[in-house]
Amino acid sequence: MENTHNCCLPIFMSKIEGEYDFEIIEIEAGEVNKNIATCTQVGGIVRVGLRTVTSALINLGGCVVTDLGGFGGLLVLKEV
């Protein structure tokens, strides 16, 4: 999480043009955090933020982030 937050996020954010409403959700690194409790927690946050079909979820990080983000995003977007 620290490497992504310190090294990747600033570069990614510098490339965004325009004004957008967004929220950064951070997940601790490690396979131990790839569980239903973390998915439920992230899903609750994402469900509030992704209210329309034009909303976007961007996963920036390693395996835990991309796996949980992809799975959670899919479940939430199925509700929209």
Side-chain angles (χ1 to χ4, degrees):
M1 178 177 78
E2 289 179 19
N3 287 336
T4 301
H5 183 87
N6 295 331
C7 300
C8 302
L9 184 60
I11 295 169
F12 179 80
M13 296 297 289
S14 73
K15 304 294 182 187
I16 297 175
E17 296 178 1
E19 301 267 337
Y20 297 95
D21 219 9
F22 63 90
E23 181 171 351
I24 297 173
I25 305 168
E26 295 183 321
I27 302 171
E28 291 294 326
E31 290 293 314
V32 69
N33 295 304
K34 193 188 296 184
N35 57 53
I36 194 67
T38 304
C39 191
T40 302
Q41 181 183 14
V42 171
I45 297 167
V46 171
R47 187 176 296 115
V48 172
L50 295 177
R51 295 188 184 131
T52 68
V53 294
T54 59
S55 298
L57 174 64
I58 300 169
N59 299 310
L60 181 65
C63 292
V64 173
V65 170
T66 54
D67 288 352
L68 286 177
F71 181 69
L74 170 71
L75 294 177
V76 170
L77 289 177
K78 294 295 262 183
E79 296 175 4
V80 172

